Amino acid sequence: QVQLVQSGAEVKKPGASVKVSCKPSGYSVTNFHIYWVRQAPGQGLQWMGVINPSGLITNYAQNFQGRVTMTRDTSTSTVFMELSSLTSEDTAVYYCARRAVTHFDFWGQGTLVTVSS
Amino acid sequence: QSALTQPRSVSGSPGQSVTISCTGTSSDVGGYNYVSWYQQHPGKAPKVMIFDVNERPSGVPDRFSGSKSGNTASLTISGLRPEDEADYFCCSYAGSYAYVFGTGTKVTVL
């Protein structure tokens, strides 16, 4: 069955970077884009960006441009999202999600990133 | 883009119907028939309930339905059940691979 398995929770200090991984399985990864969405505590969902199946094309939300980098390891199909210059406002659960043409049909379990001094 | 506007909360008794609105602009909701709705229980990942305005994925009860008029989309839950109590988020395609989510609505089953 389709699964997106994310890396575990992280605690980072302000100014540091965090790199979250997302490993898809159960489907042909060459056919689907992977999106990253975050959710601050008690808040809504926020689109961060997307990486295409080959890993060669990305598109980032304006709010994160210059701070986020999405990459893909084609040998393992694992997708990575790295966010730099962290502040307390980046404390959130980060999700990867598979895009099925027009919507997100499968989601990872989420990775909690806590930014605290 | 700015988040799509949803009511903070709606409530209903078991068996009743509730409708959640989702208001955007002509650049997102009004510009594409790619509105989806997600259900999220506490501590869980979102689950798609409606896509392409009014399509239901397999396994989603037909109590859930969607519609759109102009820049506003709506999700209706008919025959409300206790397990429907959750947060619901709308989402719209906004062009150039971008998406925008709604502010979220808490559905309470009285």
Side-chain angles (χ1 to χ4, degrees):
Chain A
Q1 73 279 23
V2 174
Q3 281 190 301
L4 300 173
V5 179
Q6 299 184 219
S7 48
E10 303 260 14
V11 179
K12 295 293 183 181
K13 294 192 181 303
S17 297
V18 68
K19 193 169 186 177
V20 180
S21 68
C22 169
K23 183 168 175 56
S25 63
Y27 70 96
S28 174
V29 298
T30 58
N31 294 335
F32 297 89
H33 290 65
I34 293 291
Y35 279 70
W36 289 89
V37 176
R38 81 174 185 181
Q39 186 171 35
Q43 303 298 310
L45 302 170
Q46 185 179 24
W47 171 73
M48 297 181 68
V50 54
I51 186 166
N52 80 329
S54 71
L56 297 178
I57 300 175
T58 55
N59 186 26
Y60 304 135
Q62 194 168 6
N63 289 349
F64 298 98
Q65 284 184 4
R67 279 210 305 142
V68 69
T69 304
M70 297 177 187
T71 55
R72 184 191 290 266
D73 180 342
T74 53
S75 66
T76 63
S77 299
T78 302
V79 175
F80 299 91
M81 186 283 299
E82 184 170 20
L83 189 63
S84 62
S85 303
L86 294 170
T87 71
S88 59
E89 294 188 349
D90 294 314
T91 293
V93 175
Y94 290 77
Y95 293 101
C96 61
R98 186 182 86 163
R99 189 186 81 161
V101 185
T102 62
H103 61 286
F104 308 112
D105 61 348
F106 287 93
W107 295 65
Q109 82 275 20
T111 297
L112 175 62
V113 175
T114 303
V115 183
S116 174
S117 54
Chain B
Q1 296 96 352
S2 298
L4 307 176
T5 301
Q6 298 180 232
R8 184 172 293 271
S9 64
V10 299
S11 61
S13 299
Q16 289 186 330
S17 294
V18 295
T19 297
I20 303 168
S21 61
C22 169
T23 301
T25 69
S26 58
S27 296
D28 36 65
V29 175
Y32 306 93
N33 286 323
Y34 299 146
V35 176
S36 49
W37 289 88
Y38 300 86
Q39 177 192 66
Q40 187 180 37
H41 287 108
K44 300 295 187 181
K47 172 189 174 184
V48 62
M49 305 302 283
I50 294 288
F51 67 95
D52 293 357
V53 177
N54 57 13
E55 297 293 326
R56 269 190 319 276
S58 61
V60 172
D62 59 7
R63 302 183 293 102
F64 291 84
S65 62
S67 63
K68 192 187 88 166
S69 178
N71 295 339
T72 298
S74 298
L75 172 72
T76 297
I77 309 173
S78 305
L80 205 57
R81 297 171 64 94
E83 59 263 35
D84 299 333
E85 185 161 297
D87 292 325
Y88 291 81
F89 296 92
C90 60
C91 178
S92 175
Y93 184 61
S96 301
Y97 290 95
Y99 285 79
V100 59
F101 286 92
T103 50
T105 298
K106 180 174 182 57
V107 171
T108 301
V109 181
L110 301 171

